[in-house]
Structures are given as C-alpha cells and as structure tokens.
Amino acid sequence: ATYEGLPVTAIANGAFYKSEIMSIVLPEGITTIGYFSFEYCRKLTSISIPSTVTSIGDYAFYACEMLSNVHFVASSALTSLGAYAFSNCLSLMQIYLPEGITEIKSHAFYADTNLSQILIPVSVHVFAESAFEWCDLLMSIFYGGNATQWGMISRFDGNDILLSTTRYDYSATPASGTWRYVDGNPVLWS
C-alpha cells in the first residue's frame, strides 16, 4: 500500500479511533497495528490482518463491540499481541491466533463475554494477568501442542477459565480428543 507515493507500513496509534468504519481488509506490507488504532470503533464487524503484520498494539481493538470476525491471513508473521488488544469485543465468539505469538498479554481478551472458541498456538509461553478474565462462555480451546507443552505455559492470575474449559490438543493423525487443520480451521478428529 502507498500514500502519496510512499509505502504504508503501519496503522498509526489512534488512526481510526472512534471511527464509523464497518469492515476493513488491511493490505500486505502493513507490519504494525498501533496502540488504540481501532479503539471504540463500535460499528467495526470484520477485519482481515495481513501476513506481514508482526505487532498489534495495546488497546488496538478495545471496545469494538460489534467485531465478530478477525481473520489472520495464512503464514502470519504476528509475534506480539498487545495488552487489552481485543478486550471488550462483545460480539467476538471465536478467534484463531496464528503460530508465532509468544505471549497473550495482560487483559488481551478481557470481558469478551461471548468468546466461546479460541485457537492458541504452541508458540505461546505466557498467559499474562487477566488475559481471559470474564470470558465466561469460553467452551473450547484448540491448542497447537500437547498436554505437556500446555502444562509448561506460565499463567498469571485472572485466567482460571483456562483450567475449566475443554482443551483439544493438535494431532496430525486421528486420536480421541484432538484436532487437525482443514482449510486453515481447527476441526476435531471424529
């Protein structure tokens, strides 16, 4: 993407703050979604995040109450998901995080009261404070690793829901209670 002949590589901090935007497909080449960039975009329902994005800043999608579709393009380079990044996204029911993220930062999904399904990649090593607090409808975790790897993830206070939610570990071959990828989505082995 270019603007006035110059390459665009970032969505600036607060760029779309309280915007009336409803849907956006960010172009390849964007590497950073800044702090507060889409905060309080209450009409935003859908966003496609390109493979080139490496960082989503703190509060990037905070209180996007209608946001229900977050799509990460295949081969995502995302490694950093900021604090409160998707907090208070009341319409978000599922999200499939890409491999490469190492930490789910503080309050990242706090009070996503309708979040029922999440894919957590094996690259995650930390669930920071209250990352999933008040996600009381969380029913399914598709984890990209195995039970031993899951047990090694550091968990800080406010993530008790992760202990009571049904977790399915990844398996390339059929096994009870495991999942595989089908067209880029997690699907249980039957």
Side-chain angles (χ1 to χ4, degrees):
T2 60
Y3 178 73
E4 295 183 356
L6 300 173
V8 175
T9 59
I11 304 298
N13 295 344
F16 293 94
Y17 177 79
K18 290 188 176 181
S19 166
E20 298 290 315
I21 194 168
M22 296 176 69
S23 178
I24 189 165
V25 176
L26 296 175
E28 290 292 326
I30 300 291
T31 59
T32 303
I33 298 174
Y35 292 12
F36 314 104
S37 52
F38 294 91
E39 185 181 26
Y40 292 111
C41 289
R42 297 188 191 277
K43 294 183 179 181
L44 182 64
T45 61
S46 176
I47 184 155
S48 180
I49 298 171
S51 64
T52 51
V53 169
T54 60
S55 174
I56 296 176
D58 296 351
Y59 294 88
F61 297 96
Y62 180 85
C64 291
E65 296 171 352
M66 299 302 293
L67 184 61
S68 60
N69 183 13
V70 178
H71 173 71
F72 294 96
V73 172
S75 301
S76 175
L78 187 65
T79 58
S80 179
L81 181 64
Y84 292 90
F86 289 98
S87 180
N88 287 289
C89 291
L90 305 179
S91 297
L92 190 61
M93 296 178 70
Q94 70 181 30
I95 189 165
Y96 301 149
L97 299 175
E99 183 64 39
I101 295 173
T102 58
E103 178 179 1
I104 308 288
K105 293 194 178 169
S106 171
H107 299 85
F109 297 96
Y110 179 85
D112 286 354
T113 54
N114 286 301
L115 184 64
S116 64
Q117 187 177 92
I118 188 167
L119 187 154
I120 297 173
V122 69
S123 56
V124 170
H125 298 290
V126 177
F127 295 124
E129 180 183 359
S130 301
F132 294 96
E133 191 167 14
W134 298 108
C135 294
D136 295 338
L137 293 182
L138 189 59
M139 298 180 69
S140 300
I141 297 170
F142 291 95
Y143 177 57
N146 59 42
T148 301
Q149 292 165 315
W150 179 260
M152 294 173 60
I153 299 173
S154 297
R155 291 171 186 80
F156 290 85
D157 290 341
N159 290 303
D160 294 342
I161 191 72
L162 298 176
L163 301 175
S164 60
T165 299
T166 302
R167 188 189 81 247
Y168 303 99
D169 296 333
Y170 175 79
S171 179
T173 58
S176 178
T178 63
W179 66 275
R180 67 195 186 286
Y181 284 104
V182 175
D183 297 327
N185 295 311
V187 175
L188 290 175
W189 283 104
S190 49

PDB file of all heavy atoms in Angstrom, residues 25-44:
ATOM      1  N   VAL A  25     -10.043  -4.624   5.221  1.00  0.00           N
ATOM      2  CA  VAL A  25      -9.044  -5.611   4.826  1.00  0.00           C
ATOM      3  C   VAL A  25      -7.739  -4.838   4.701  1.00  0.00           C
ATOM      4  O   VAL A  25      -7.583  -4.031   3.780  1.00  0.00           O
ATOM      5  CB  VAL A  25      -9.409  -6.292   3.484  1.00  0.00           C
ATOM      6  CG1 VAL A  25      -8.292  -7.235   3.050  1.00  0.00           C
ATOM      7  CG2 VAL A  25     -10.735  -7.024   3.595  1.00  0.00           C
ATOM      8  N   LEU A  26      -6.842  -5.062   5.648  1.00  0.00           N
ATOM      9  CA  LEU A  26      -5.563  -4.356   5.603  1.00  0.00           C
ATOM     10  C   LEU A  26      -4.686  -4.975   4.525  1.00  0.00           C
ATOM     11  O   LEU A  26      -4.646  -6.199   4.382  1.00  0.00           O
ATOM     12  CB  LEU A  26      -4.867  -4.429   6.961  1.00  0.00           C
ATOM     13  CG  LEU A  26      -5.604  -3.735   8.111  1.00  0.00           C
ATOM     14  CD1 LEU A  26      -4.875  -3.981   9.426  1.00  0.00           C
ATOM     15  CD2 LEU A  26      -5.728  -2.246   7.847  1.00  0.00           C
ATOM     16  N   PRO A  27      -3.973  -4.164   3.757  1.00  0.00           N
ATOM     17  CA  PRO A  27      -3.152  -4.697   2.667  1.00  0.00           C
ATOM     18  C   PRO A  27      -1.845  -5.313   3.168  1.00  0.00           C
ATOM     19  O   PRO A  27      -1.341  -4.954   4.235  1.00  0.00           O
ATOM     20  CB  PRO A  27      -2.877  -3.455   1.818  1.00  0.00           C
ATOM     21  CG  PRO A  27      -2.921  -2.326   2.786  1.00  0.00           C
ATOM     22  CD  PRO A  27      -3.953  -2.699   3.813  1.00  0.00           C
ATOM     23  N   GLU A  28      -1.319  -6.248   2.375  1.00  0.00           N
ATOM     24  CA  GLU A  28       0.007  -6.798   2.654  1.00  0.00           C
ATOM     25  C   GLU A  28       1.003  -5.638   2.672  1.00  0.00           C
ATOM     26  O   GLU A  28       0.832  -4.643   1.974  1.00  0.00           O
ATOM     27  CB  GLU A  28       0.404  -7.821   1.579  1.00  0.00           C
ATOM     28  CG  GLU A  28      -0.396  -9.105   1.627  1.00  0.00           C
ATOM     29  CD  GLU A  28      -0.115  -9.950   2.872  1.00  0.00           C
ATOM     30  OE1 GLU A  28       1.025  -9.978   3.376  1.00  0.00           O
ATOM     31  OE2 GLU A  28      -1.064 -10.591   3.348  1.00  0.00           O
ATOM     32  N   GLY A  29       2.027  -5.760   3.490  1.00  0.00           N
ATOM     33  CA  GLY A  29       3.029  -4.701   3.626  1.00  0.00           C
ATOM     34  C   GLY A  29       2.895  -3.958   4.948  1.00  0.00           C
ATOM     35  O   GLY A  29       3.869  -3.401   5.441  1.00  0.00           O
ATOM     36  N   ILE A  30       1.688  -3.960   5.518  1.00  0.00           N
ATOM     37  CA  ILE A  30       1.493  -3.369   6.843  1.00  0.00           C
ATOM     38  C   ILE A  30       2.185  -4.294   7.852  1.00  0.00           C
ATOM     39  O   ILE A  30       1.954  -5.500   7.853  1.00  0.00           O
ATOM     40  CB  ILE A  30      -0.008  -3.243   7.200  1.00  0.00           C
ATOM     41  CG1 ILE A  30      -0.750  -2.372   6.200  1.00  0.00           C
ATOM     42  CG2 ILE A  30      -0.196  -2.748   8.632  1.00  0.00           C
ATOM     43  CD1 ILE A  30      -0.385  -0.914   6.236  1.00  0.00           C
ATOM     44  N   THR A  31       3.038  -3.730   8.714  1.00  0.00           N
ATOM     45  CA  THR A  31       3.746  -4.546   9.700  1.00  0.00           C
ATOM     46  C   THR A  31       3.278  -4.281  11.130  1.00  0.00           C
ATOM     47  O   THR A  31       3.465  -5.130  11.993  1.00  0.00           O
ATOM     48  CB  THR A  31       5.266  -4.312   9.634  1.00  0.00           C
ATOM     49  OG1 THR A  31       5.538  -2.926   9.887  1.00  0.00           O
ATOM     50  CG2 THR A  31       5.829  -4.716   8.277  1.00  0.00           C
ATOM     51  N   THR A  32       2.674  -3.121  11.357  1.00  0.00           N
ATOM     52  CA  THR A  32       2.294  -2.748  12.720  1.00  0.00           C
ATOM     53  C   THR A  32       0.886  -2.172  12.751  1.00  0.00           C
ATOM     54  O   THR A  32       0.545  -1.309  11.937  1.00  0.00           O
ATOM     55  CB  THR A  32       3.266  -1.681  13.282  1.00  0.00           C
ATOM     56  OG1 THR A  32       4.597  -2.191  13.221  1.00  0.00           O
ATOM     57  CG2 THR A  32       2.924  -1.314  14.711  1.00  0.00           C
ATOM     58  N   ILE A  33       0.093  -2.654  13.696  1.00  0.00           N
ATOM     59  CA  ILE A  33      -1.195  -2.036  14.009  1.00  0.00           C
ATOM     60  C   ILE A  33      -0.975  -1.353  15.356  1.00  0.00           C
ATOM     61  O   ILE A  33      -0.744  -2.015  16.364  1.00  0.00           O
ATOM     62  CB  ILE A  33      -2.326  -3.077  14.082  1.00  0.00           C
ATOM     63  CG1 ILE A  33      -2.500  -3.759  12.715  1.00  0.00           C
ATOM     64  CG2 ILE A  33      -3.636  -2.417  14.524  1.00  0.00           C
ATOM     65  CD1 ILE A  33      -3.493  -4.897  12.704  1.00  0.00           C
ATOM     66  N   GLY A  34      -0.982  -0.032  15.348  1.00  0.00           N
ATOM     67  CA  GLY A  34      -0.579   0.743  16.507  1.00  0.00           C
ATOM     68  C   GLY A  34      -1.534   0.708  17.686  1.00  0.00           C
ATOM     69  O   GLY A  34      -2.654   0.210  17.596  1.00  0.00           O
ATOM     70  N   TYR A  35      -1.056   1.242  18.792  1.00  0.00           N
ATOM     71  CA  TYR A  35      -1.860   1.367  20.006  1.00  0.00           C
ATOM     72  C   TYR A  35      -3.132   2.164  19.699  1.00  0.00           C
ATOM     73  O   TYR A  35      -3.086   3.153  18.972  1.00  0.00           O
ATOM     74  CB  TYR A  35      -1.095   2.108  21.094  1.00  0.00           C
ATOM     75  CG  TYR A  35       0.103   1.399  21.674  1.00  0.00           C
ATOM     76  CD1 TYR A  35       0.647   0.264  21.095  1.00  0.00           C
ATOM     77  CD2 TYR A  35       0.704   1.880  22.816  1.00  0.00           C
ATOM     78  CE1 TYR A  35       1.738  -0.373  21.653  1.00  0.00           C
ATOM     79  CE2 TYR A  35       1.799   1.252  23.380  1.00  0.00           C
ATOM     80  CZ  TYR A  35       2.314   0.131  22.793  1.00  0.00           C
ATOM     81  OH  TYR A  35       3.397  -0.498  23.346  1.00  0.00           O
ATOM     82  N   PHE A  36      -4.242   1.730  20.251  1.00  0.00           N
ATOM     83  CA  PHE A  36      -5.532   2.443  20.156  1.00  0.00           C
ATOM     84  C   PHE A  36      -6.009   2.647  18.715  1.00  0.00           C
ATOM     85  O   PHE A  36      -6.925   3.429  18.474  1.00  0.00           O
ATOM     86  CB  PHE A  36      -5.468   3.820  20.847  1.00  0.00           C
ATOM     87  CG  PHE A  36      -4.841   3.824  22.191  1.00  0.00           C
ATOM     88  CD1 PHE A  36      -3.549   4.296  22.388  1.00  0.00           C
ATOM     89  CD2 PHE A  36      -5.534   3.357  23.296  1.00  0.00           C
ATOM     90  CE1 PHE A  36      -2.966   4.291  23.646  1.00  0.00           C
ATOM     91  CE2 PHE A  36      -4.965   3.352  24.554  1.00  0.00           C
ATOM     92  CZ  PHE A  36      -3.677   3.816  24.733  1.00  0.00           C
ATOM     93  N   SER A  37      -5.401   1.963  17.741  1.00  0.00           N
ATOM     94  CA  SER A  37      -5.664   2.271  16.331  1.00  0.00           C
ATOM     95  C   SER A  37      -7.120   2.113  15.905  1.00  0.00           C
ATOM     96  O   SER A  37      -7.600   2.891  15.090  1.00  0.00           O
ATOM     97  CB  SER A  37      -4.746   1.461  15.421  1.00  0.00           C
ATOM     98  OG  SER A  37      -4.819   0.101  15.733  1.00  0.00           O
ATOM     99  N   PHE A  38      -7.840   1.144  16.462  1.00  0.00           N
ATOM    100  CA  PHE A  38      -9.258   0.950  16.129  1.00  0.00           C
ATOM    101  C   PHE A  38     -10.126   1.000  17.394  1.00  0.00           C
ATOM    102  O   PHE A  38     -11.276   0.570  17.373  1.00  0.00           O
ATOM    103  CB  PHE A  38      -9.475  -0.385  15.410  1.00  0.00           C
ATOM    104  CG  PHE A  38      -8.834  -0.449  14.050  1.00  0.00           C
ATOM    105  CD1 PHE A  38      -7.544  -0.925  13.894  1.00  0.00           C
ATOM    106  CD2 PHE A  38      -9.521  -0.015  12.930  1.00  0.00           C
ATOM    107  CE1 PHE A  38      -6.952  -0.985  12.647  1.00  0.00           C
ATOM    108  CE2 PHE A  38      -8.943  -0.065  11.673  1.00  0.00           C
ATOM    109  CZ  PHE A  38      -7.647  -0.549  11.531  1.00  0.00           C
ATOM    110  N   GLU A  39      -9.586   1.528  18.464  1.00  0.00           N
ATOM    111  CA  GLU A  39     -10.312   1.571  19.737  1.00  0.00           C
ATOM    112  C   GLU A  39     -11.647   2.291  19.581  1.00  0.00           C
ATOM    113  O   GLU A  39     -11.739   3.310  18.903  1.00  0.00           O
ATOM    114  CB  GLU A  39      -9.463   2.285  20.797  1.00  0.00           C
ATOM    115  CG  GLU A  39     -10.101   2.272  22.169  1.00  0.00           C
ATOM    116  CD  GLU A  39      -9.266   2.995  23.206  1.00  0.00           C
ATOM    117  OE1 GLU A  39      -8.489   3.897  22.839  1.00  0.00           O
ATOM    118  OE2 GLU A  39      -9.412   2.672  24.392  1.00  0.00           O
ATOM    119  N   TYR A  40     -12.672   1.720  20.179  1.00  0.00           N
ATOM    120  CA  TYR A  40     -14.037   2.264  20.169  1.00  0.00           C
ATOM    121  C   TYR A  40     -14.630   2.402  18.769  1.00  0.00           C
ATOM    122  O   TYR A  40     -15.511   3.234  18.541  1.00  0.00           O
ATOM    123  CB  TYR A  40     -14.119   3.604  20.900  1.00  0.00           C
ATOM    124  CG  TYR A  40     -13.903   3.505  22.384  1.00  0.00           C
ATOM    125  CD1 TYR A  40     -12.758   4.033  22.974  1.00  0.00           C
ATOM    126  CD2 TYR A  40     -14.835   2.882  23.203  1.00  0.00           C
ATOM    127  CE1 TYR A  40     -12.550   3.947  24.341  1.00  0.00           C
ATOM    128  CE2 TYR A  40     -14.634   2.790  24.578  1.00  0.00           C
ATOM    129  CZ  TYR A  40     -13.486   3.318  25.131  1.00  0.00           C
ATOM    130  OH  TYR A  40     -13.291   3.223  26.482  1.00  0.00           O
ATOM    131  N   CYS A  41     -14.190   1.578  17.831  1.00  0.00           N
ATOM    132  CA  CYS A  41     -14.849   1.523  16.520  1.00  0.00           C
ATOM    133  C   CYS A  41     -16.052   0.600  16.704  1.00  0.00           C
ATOM    134  O   CYS A  41     -16.003  -0.587  16.382  1.00  0.00           O
ATOM    135  CB  CYS A  41     -13.896   1.009  15.446  1.00  0.00           C
ATOM    136  SG  CYS A  41     -12.604   2.178  15.022  1.00  0.00           S
ATOM    137  N   ARG A  42     -17.107   1.140  17.240  1.00  0.00           N
ATOM    138  CA  ARG A  42     -18.254   0.351  17.687  1.00  0.00           C
ATOM    139  C   ARG A  42     -19.048  -0.299  16.549  1.00  0.00           C
ATOM    140  O   ARG A  42     -19.840  -1.191  16.781  1.00  0.00           O
ATOM    141  CB  ARG A  42     -19.156   1.204  18.558  1.00  0.00           C
ATOM    142  CG  ARG A  42     -18.456   1.667  19.829  1.00  0.00           C
ATOM    143  CD  ARG A  42     -19.404   2.351  20.780  1.00  0.00           C
ATOM    144  NE  ARG A  42     -18.730   3.028  21.862  1.00  0.00           N
ATOM    145  CZ  ARG A  42     -18.305   2.442  22.972  1.00  0.00           C
ATOM    146  NH1 ARG A  42     -18.452   1.159  23.139  1.00  0.00           N
ATOM    147  NH2 ARG A  42     -17.726   3.150  23.933  1.00  0.00           N
ATOM    148  N   LYS A  43     -18.839   0.136  15.305  1.00  0.00           N
ATOM    149  CA  LYS A  43     -19.536  -0.464  14.165  1.00  0.00           C
ATOM    150  C   LYS A  43     -18.673  -1.454  13.397  1.00  0.00           C
ATOM    151  O   LYS A  43     -19.164  -2.124  12.492  1.00  0.00           O
ATOM    152  CB  LYS A  43     -20.033   0.631  13.227  1.00  0.00           C
ATOM    153  CG  LYS A  43     -21.109   1.499  13.860  1.00  0.00           C
ATOM    154  CD  LYS A  43     -21.634   2.522  12.882  1.00  0.00           C
ATOM    155  CE  LYS A  43     -22.735   3.356  13.537  1.00  0.00           C
ATOM    156  NZ  LYS A  43     -23.277   4.331  12.593  1.00  0.00           N
ATOM    157  N   LEU A  44     -17.396  -1.565  13.761  1.00  0.00           N
ATOM    158  CA  LEU A  44     -16.498  -2.483  13.073  1.00  0.00           C
ATOM    159  C   LEU A  44     -16.926  -3.923  13.335  1.00  0.00           C
ATOM    160  O   LEU A  44     -17.015  -4.353  14.485  1.00  0.00           O
ATOM    161  CB  LEU A  44     -15.055  -2.267  13.559  1.00  0.00           C
ATOM    162  CG  LEU A  44     -13.980  -3.131  12.903  1.00  0.00           C
ATOM    163  CD1 LEU A  44     -13.869  -2.806  11.410  1.00  0.00           C
ATOM    164  CD2 LEU A  44     -12.637  -2.926  13.594  1.00  0.00           C
TER     165      LEU A  44
END
